Amino acid sequence: MKANQIDVVLGLQWGDEGKGKVVDVLSPDYKIVARFQGGPNAGHSLVFDGTAFVLHTVPSGIFREGTLNVIGNGVVIDPVILMEEIENIEARGVNVDGRLFISKRANLILPTHRALDAASESAMGKAKIGSTLKGIGPTYTDKAGRRGLRVGDILLPDFKERYEARKAAHLKTLAQYEGFELNIDEYEKRWLEAAEGLKRFELIDSEVFINHALDEGVPVLAEGAQGSLLDIDFGTYPYVTSSNTLSAGVCIGLGLAPSRIGKVYGIFKAYCTRVGSGPFPTELFDADGEQLRKIGHEYGATTGRPRRTGWLDMVALKYSVMMNGVTDLIMMKSDVMDGFDTIKVAVAYKTKDGQLLEDFPYDGGADIEPVYREFPGWKTSLGGMKCYNDFPQEFKDYINFIEDSTDCRIKIVSVGPDRVSTVVR
Ligand code: GDP
Ligand code: IMO
Ligand code: MG
């Protein structure tokens, strides 16, 4: 980490790369951890002291006593989900007071945003995005439409009226969806209570807070949600989320100048997964895919949906490394591939007319054949390994190949879900 710059952890694939684990592992080196985009569509798993914890809105530094946690302006917040999360954290004996800071500029996810998400997905039928149904798309739509409610509005005397006005507008839209039944009464009651409950925390101008902290040389880490291939501009559009998940999103999502970006830790799985619809060039529909899902426990941390699985895709990974300016790679879940005789990696895409593509295409590789390079499996349990020298040669060859193709060092290799199953080079 360089003084006066923020380091960034973000996902290079379609999310669920293991960002939560990595932020938890790195956070003792930082005083502040800040989320800059996304919302409760995220599910970040942390495993330590024999138990697992899933965070949706709260940054993954919350379990490190000395670390302050900031929810930045680029995040969208559902107060019900946030308050539930805080209760669960407190139930683990962790003190949150004075350690959780929320940007007044963060937009609020209303109960009717969730309803709009569900109505829109259901109306799209087969063409649906496969959204997490947390109201992410409709909330960012209202933000861009300059009519969203923000955390700072909770402090205004007419907050309830503002809420009712927005809800009324949403109800008009919802009425246009044929056969859609609205059932938000119970959720709305909890939502209004939870919104009031947020006043307990420090509602701040987080851009000022973080810029001042950096000026004073305080180490700050930004925590991404989702993954680069779900970025609204550069992901596999329209099968993406509604925020900028790339490192550039840190500038807008926290209010920092581009010159403030320091190290960019790009996280990827040793294979690929995706949950929801959209192109996935290396997707497997065979026993290998099933093995990855089974051994890797590839089920969504937010929705429980089975994740689609496939081989590592260098065309997509190189694109993500380029788009984020990744300085350090972190490879996750290598242990999941311990049992494979042969491991494949896509090194190019072949189009229908026989053209070879090495750059990630406009359509996200919707209609191509991956060109694979094969590697012999390492057939050794990586799980208990503590240092790079312990790794079998076949695994080192896999690492070297990825480093050569991306021109970037793999600085950390994760060999299990627990904090301690981490090899730092
Ligand atoms: P995130 O959204 O990027 O934080 O990732 P998720 O938490 O949604 O999904 C990652 C899953 O893999 C979680 O269940 C983690 O506990 C688990 N995990 C993380 N790193 C490793 C690893 O190196 N090996 C194995 N086997 N599991 C891991
Ligand atoms: P983390 O932070 C994996 C996917 C959804 C869907 C698309 C749009 O845990 O890596 P949305 O609810 O954002 O409108 O859904 O994006 N998606 C994720 N996939 N991990 C996530 O977060 C995701 N957040 C959204 O499955 O395909
Ligand atoms: Mg996740």
Side-chain angles (χ1 to χ4, degrees), residues 242-416:
S242 297
S243 64
N244 285 113
T245 58
L246 298 177
S247 55
V250 173
C251 297
I252 290 302
L254 291 177
L256 297 171
S259 55
R260 288 287 203 186
I261 307 292
K263 275 191 189 167
V264 179
Y265 291 102
I267 306 194
F268 68 102
K269 280 180 192 168
Y271 49 97
C272 279
T273 64
R274 167 161 211 171
V275 59
S277 327
F280 182 174
T282 60
E283 183 166 13
L284 291 166
F285 301 94
D286 58 6
D288 286 340
E290 193 46 47
Q291 189 173 340
L292 289 172
R293 187 175 307 106
K294 200 163 152 239
I295 312 278
H297 302 288
E298 295 297 357
Y299 295 88
T302 294
T303 58
R305 292 179 289 177
R307 294 176 183 146
R308 301 157 64 192
T309 54
W311 299 118
L312 185 64
D313 182 341
M314 292 311 297
V315 180
L317 191 67
K318 279 172 15 186
Y319 184 72
S320 294
V321 168
M322 171 178 81
M323 296 307 294
N324 287 298
V326 171
T327 58
D328 301 89
L329 284 169
I330 300 183
M331 181 157 81
M332 312 299 290
K333 304 193 87 160
S334 321
D335 54 298
V336 172
M337 300 180 103
D338 284 350
F340 283 86
D341 293 323
T342 302
I343 289 168
K344 293 189 189 180
V345 178
V347 291
Y349 296 161
K350 192 169 174 186
T351 62
K352 283 248 149 72
D353 54 11
Q355 218 190 321
L356 278 187
L357 303 180
E358 284 185 40
D359 288 313
F360 196 63
Y362 171 75
D363 67 358
D367 206 14
I368 54 87
E369 215 29 66
V371 179
Y372 286 114
R373 177 164 162 182
E374 294 191 1
F375 292 82
W378 42 91
K379 309 284 281 179
T380 313
S381 168
L382 299 176
M385 296 191 179
K386 294 279 170 240
C387 71
Y388 182 78
N389 291 336
D390 294 345
F391 290 153
Q393 191 55 45
E394 291 86 350
F395 185 51
K396 285 182 181 162
D397 290 343
Y398 193 62
I399 291 178
N400 289 340
F401 166 75
I402 297 166
E403 291 189 329
D404 287 346
S405 320
T406 54
D407 203 14
C408 201
R409 277 271 291 173
I410 298 181
K411 288 282 171 65
I412 298 175
V413 178
S414 174
V415 293

Side-chain angles (χ1 to χ4, degrees), residues 15-20 41-45 54-55 226 299-302 307:
D16 302 328
E17 297 89 351
K19 300 173 291 291
N41 47 350
H44 294 183
S45 318
V54 180
L55 294 166
Q226 290 78 59
Y299 295 88
T302 294
R307 294 176 183 146

Side-chain angles (χ1 to χ4, degrees), residues 227-246:
S228 303
L229 303 174
L230 289 170
D231 181 272
I232 187 157
D233 282 273
F234 298 102
T236 46
Y237 193 89
Y239 301 103
V240 294
T241 191
S242 297
S243 64
N244 285 113
T245 58
L246 298 177

